[in-house]
Amino acid sequence: MTVYITNSMSDYSMQEKKIQVLTQANVISGYIAQYQDLSGETISFLLQQQQLSADTRVLMLDNDAKVTFDSNVQSSYVGKTLINTIVLDALSGTNQTEEIRNSEGELIVNAAVPITKDKTVVGAIYFQSSASDVSDYMGQMSVNLLILAVLASILIGVISFVMSGIMTEPIRNLTQNLKNLTEQDLDYKLEVSSGGEIGELMDSFNKMIDKLRLQETKRQEFVSNASHELKTPLSSIKLISDSLLQTPDAPREMVEEFLNDMNVEVDRLTRIINKLLTLTKMDNQQSVSRLEFSVMDINAIAANVFKALKPLAAQKGVNVTFNGEEGIYSLVEHDRLWEAIYNILDNSIKYTEQEGTVMMTVHQDENFAVIEVNDTGIGIASSELYKIFDRFYRVDKARSRETGGTGLGLSIALTAVELHGGNLQVESKEGVGSTFKITIPITLK
Ligand code: ADP
């Protein structure tokens, strides 16, 4: 910028100088043109009146370019011929200027203007003026601008350094926090010290860490619950087989009874493992994407489940009824939805005493298919209601075990219903009964 400003100013000043020199030369030429005959004294007198600076030299030339007057008496050019481009131009009627450096390196501005009498060029004025004032001024100006540029650079440098420090502080803080986080697992919480976007980012990180922490806790809980659930039947099998081994001459009836008990435990193990597999499949995005959905009659699926469980109800002495509305279609994965309805109806029958009633209905509510299972069973306390969908959660462990429960039925049902974009609600009163309601979006035909 300094170079650019200096150059521009220098060009401008030189242009001004040239105009000034040309104006002076024209004024003199104009005066001279008014006189018929001119003596050297007359010209000197005219020049004195112009108050020209000491370093200005004025030459007068006739139209053969011969010098007829020279203001520099010591090394006068009078009588000599002065030919150069600007003189030739002036003698052909044009004003001209040029800038040159003399042998001492001093900047000089030359101007040549024609002397015109009765529209005829009769000679020329050759004007020589030192431009050292311009170059001195520009020299000083360059130094000042350079000092200014250096000072401005230092100032900008300091400000940039301080500002970048201030601006990158939150990012450094974030980086440090993230480093701490990776070193300290999920126990670490980012300290949100800055506002704005970085603050928001750290806040989001904290929320994400909370979610991960929760997921990790759930995962650990799930693994420990699963291990425990699998361990119980295994321990029973071990106990039974040990007893059998220690009683080599056990009577046949006893052996049969032990083997039967073992069989029950193996069935339980199989049930748990199958349900775990179902859940894992639904948790896995890849397996979910492989599921095949098709448009099906919801009523037909529910009726099928009802048919499958009716014998169990009869065996338990529970009255079951089914009331379905045909022609409600949804995009479903048959096996998942079938299992969800099955688990809910199975629970209602299991948790309803003899003579109790279980009613299943299917109807359409606006754009949703609703499958409702209502029982007059033991009900669920409100403090337990929000937990029953958790994996392995059972209100009464002993009772659930007796009925072959695994604590996974409702979580499978919930995951399956959510897979269909629907929801599963429950209303229950202890000792009165429960109502489970599956709602899934319908497909308009
Ligand atoms: P389970 O295999 O033990 O039935 P679920 O996940 O299906 O496991 O259900 C979780 C718990 O919710 C059950 O153990 C039971 O305590 C309670 N529950 C589920 N359905 C009913 C119902 N219809 N009536 C009473 N309690 C129920």
Side-chain angles (χ1 to χ4, degrees):
M1 261 178 79
T2 310
V3 171
Y4 176 75
I5 292 172
T6 315
N7 283 346
S8 307
M9 286 182 75
S10 173
D11 287 350
Y12 178 74
S13 306
M14 194 47 87
Q15 212 54 43
E16 285 286 290
K17 180 75 185 179
K18 282 178 182 170
I19 291 169
Q20 184 199 352
V21 168
L22 212 53
T23 312
Q24 284 175 329
N26 268 313
V27 169
I28 293 164
S29 136
Y31 270 127
I32 287 171
Q34 291 167 15
Y35 290 86
Q36 284 303 321
D37 268 317
L38 279 173
S39 63
E41 289 81 43
T42 320
I43 300 173
S44 299
F45 174 73
L46 279 174
L47 294 181
Q48 267 172 21
Q49 282 193 327
Q50 291 299 308
Q51 292 176 330
L52 300 173
S53 61
D55 50 16
T56 307
R57 184 176 182 177
V58 182
L59 287 89
M60 191 168 93
L61 297 91
D62 63 14
N63 55 1
D64 291 329
K66 209 160 105 199
V67 179
T68 54
F69 171 82
D70 189 346
S71 65
N72 188 332
V73 188
Q74 280 87 29
S75 52
S76 176
Y77 266 38
V78 175
K80 292 180 185 166
T81 305
L82 176 69
I83 293 180
N84 63 21
T85 346
I86 63 166
V87 166
L88 290 178
D89 280 348
L91 288 176
S92 56
T94 349
N95 292 339
Q96 278 299 354
T97 56
E98 65 176 3
E99 55 182 278
I100 54 162
R101 282 197 185 271
N102 65 12
S103 48
E104 283 114 52
E106 192 188 352
L107 198 60
I108 308 283
V109 172
N110 290 333
V113 299
I115 304 169
T116 316
K117 271 187 188 167
D118 302 329
K119 295 185 180 161
T120 319
V121 177
V122 293
I125 289 292
Y126 188 74
F127 205 98
Q128 224 174 28
S129 179
S130 163
S132 55
D133 51 345
V134 174
S135 47
D136 287 354
Y137 170 71
M138 285 322 301
Q140 191 53 45
M141 200 65 183
S142 308
V143 173
N144 287 348
L145 279 172
L146 205 67
I147 295 172
L148 201 71
V150 171
L151 287 178
S153 303
I154 294 173
L155 192 71
I156 290 169
V158 171
I159 292 174
S160 307
F161 185 73
V162 174
M163 286 304 285
S164 67
I166 294 172
M167 283 163 75
T168 52
E169 166 68 20
I171 296 173
R172 266 182 286 135
N173 185 13
L174 175 68
T175 317
Q176 187 54 46
N177 265 295
L178 291 179
K179 262 190 201 159
N180 294 348
L181 174 69
T182 40
E183 279 161 18
Q184 299 181 24
D185 295 330
L186 293 176
D187 296 334
Y188 190 74
K189 204 166 176 79
L190 305 193
E191 283 163 33
V192 185
S193 53
S194 36
E197 275 91 1
I198 298 284
E200 270 177 39
L201 187 67
M202 288 169 103
D203 220 32
S204 306
F205 260 116
N206 273 338
K207 284 187 185 133
M208 191 187 75
I209 296 166
D210 283 345
K211 266 193 178 169
L212 286 176
R213 207 179 286 140
L214 192 75
Q215 265 184 5
E216 179 58 15
T217 318
K218 277 194 164 175
R219 194 187 63 84
Q220 283 176 3
E221 235 173 57
F222 179 70
V223 172
S224 116
N225 282 340
S227 317
H228 182 76
E229 293 298 325
L230 294 172
K231 223 176 109 190
T232 320
L234 277 177
S235 309
S236 303
I237 294 171
K238 172 85 178 137
L239 199 77
I240 298 167
S241 58
D242 276 351
S243 319
L244 274 176
L245 285 173
Q246 279 160 22
T247 338
D249 45 1
R252 190 176 157 73
E253 302 84 69
M254 188 183 161
V255 174
E256 231 168 61
E257 195 191 328
F258 278 19
L259 283 177
N260 257 332
D261 289 349
M262 251 181 173
N263 214 9
V264 169
E265 295 305 328
V266 171
D267 282 348
R268 175 188 301 283
L269 268 180
T270 315
R271 256 197 323 273
I272 297 176
I273 290 169
N274 282 341
K275 291 201 166 174
L276 278 177
L277 283 175
T278 309
L279 264 180
T280 329
K281 266 191 206 150
M282 284 196 286
D283 282 347
N284 183 311
Q285 282 304 318
Q286 264 186 340
S287 312
V288 169
S289 64
R290 276 198 295 269
L291 291 178
E292 278 177 21
F293 283 76
S294 52
V295 176
M296 286 186 174
D297 184 351
I298 300 300
N299 189 63
I301 301 174
N304 254 328
V305 174
F306 183 78
K307 213 168 117 193
L309 281 168
K310 214 174 165 189
L312 177 74
Q315 193 188 322
K316 267 203 78 181
V318 173
N319 302 311
V320 281
T321 61
F322 176 71
N323 201 346
E325 202 178 290
E326 278 177 23
I328 307 169
Y329 293 92
S330 277
L331 186 65
V332 298
E333 205 285 327
H334 175 270
D335 292 358
R336 305 294 133 215
L337 187 64
W338 193 92
E339 189 162 2
I341 305 171
Y342 184 95
N343 288 352
I344 287 167
L345 186 62
D346 182 39
N347 276 348
S348 282
I349 298 168
K350 273 192 316 194
Y351 299 106
T352 299
E353 310 290 358
Q354 203 172 356
E355 301 293 309
T357 310
V358 173
M359 284 191 304
M360 175 146 98
T361 58
V362 177
H363 68 273
Q364 184 175 338
D365 184 2
E366 291 183 357
N367 291 336
F368 294 93
V370 182
I371 306 146
E372 235 176 85
V373 179
N374 173 275
D375 67 55
T376 57
I378 58 168
I380 306 155
S382 53
S383 57
E384 305 280 341
L385 262 187
Y386 69 99
K387 295 187 247 174
I388 57 170
F389 297 99
D390 287 351
R391 296 175 182 190
F392 294 113
Y393 188 80
R394 284 162 292 188
V395 178
D396 179 347
K397 272 199 176 214
R399 183 180 176 130
S400 167
R401 267 179 75 79
E402 261 172 43
T403 53
T406 56
L408 292 172
L410 282 183
S411 42
I412 290 177
L414 178 66
T415 317
V417 169
E418 283 175 348
L419 207 69
H420 288 84
N423 64 60
L424 174 56
Q425 289 162 318
V426 57
E427 271 173 36
S428 187
K429 204 164 179 199
E430 216 176 353
V432 177
S434 319
T435 304
F436 285 80
K437 188 165 147 187
I438 298 176
T439 314
I440 54 170
I442 60 163
T443 309
L444 296 171
K445 280 213 140 186

